[in-house]
Amino acid sequence: MPAPQQAPPIPGVATGSVVEPTLRVTDYASRTLEHPSLRPVKQLKSLAIETIVRNFRIYEDINLLPAQDVEAITSALTTAIHTDDATLESTVRSIHSEPYWRRCCLDRWQSCHPMMRVSSWKQTYLENHTRDLLEAYDQHTVGEFTLKKQLSVLVHFVHAVEVRQLLSHLSPVTVTEALPNMSVLKVHYGVQRALRMDYNRMLFGMQMPDATAWAQVLKQTESLTMLDLSGNLVDDDMARFMSLGLKDNMTITHLDLSHNKIGNRGLRQLAKALGPNSVLTNLNLCDNQIHADGGRYLGLSLIHI
């Protein structure tokens, strides 16, 4: 007699042993949703942040937003803001995030190090940018009006500038008038790169029109307290012109004229400028052509102060 045939097992029904389920959760997890209507939708906040990043220039101040949203926006913004004046202006106006300005400094200048101790990365960036503008200025390609407009964007943040080479011999009057909050200024007129067959004596040192302009700066400035003009081949005639402005100055406390060509005659004129109303407390004249007579002139002036 043939054995009775067993009925096929019903899915999901136990037959005396554990039966694995026919549908697994991992099957759903491994599937990708192909239909656009089934894809995950971005949060509204993410869409708003992307919109702000794309149209960043039209927003006056994003610092009114929560700090985490400001951080998300700045992390998506480009750091190459110096290539466009409008972008730089809007960024200066709207962004105060120190991590963003730190990233801008590190991406642009190799001299900036992540471990640098600075009071403000934004101020550091804008002061270095000012230095680069002045060093690259060429009156034949960029007008003075354009330069003043570029500097006007930075006026509230620039307090100290060190110009390593001012080949254009741009008038310091233009710089100090465009940056009235600047208190520390160092200017070197010599070229920094190596010269060979293109050597030109005019590339080195201050010229007489520069000295005349500095005399005007010393006479008119209301904010400059430290001025460094060392290593600029300043001679007696230039020192005489500068002393005319120094005589009426009421702000300069530190003046560095070291490593120049000032002799006894030039020092005598500088000494005459140190009247009773002078606020100068530090005058550096090392490595000049000063002898005993020049020292005597300076000593007599200091007695009467």
Side-chain angles (χ1 to χ4, degrees), residues 57 68 76 83-85 87-88 93 95 119 135 141 174 182 192 204 224 231 235 246 252 255 261 264 271 278 285 293:
R57 292 186 186 178
Q68 58 182 1
T83 58
D84 181 72
D85 292 342
T87 301
L88 178 63
R93 181 185 67 246
I95 301 297
S119 58
E135 290 180 353
T141 57
T174 301
M182 182 171 54
Q192 295 296 310
F204 295 91
L224 203 60
D235 58 17
L246 187 62
I252 295 291
L255 179 61
K261 298 172 60 178
N264 295 335
S278 176
L285 293 169
D293 290 341

Side-chain angles (χ1 to χ4, degrees), residues 137-144 168:
Y137 176 72
D138 185 356
Q139 60 269 30
H140 301 294
T141 57
V142 179
E144 189 172 308
S168 63

Side-chain angles (χ1 to χ4, degrees), residues 240-257:
R240 178 172 60 85
F241 274 102
M242 296 176 62
S243 66
L244 298 176
L246 187 62
K247 183 178 181 180
D248 299 324
N249 181 269
M250 297 292 291
T251 62
I252 295 291
T253 59
H254 290 69
L255 179 61
D256 191 344
L257 294 174

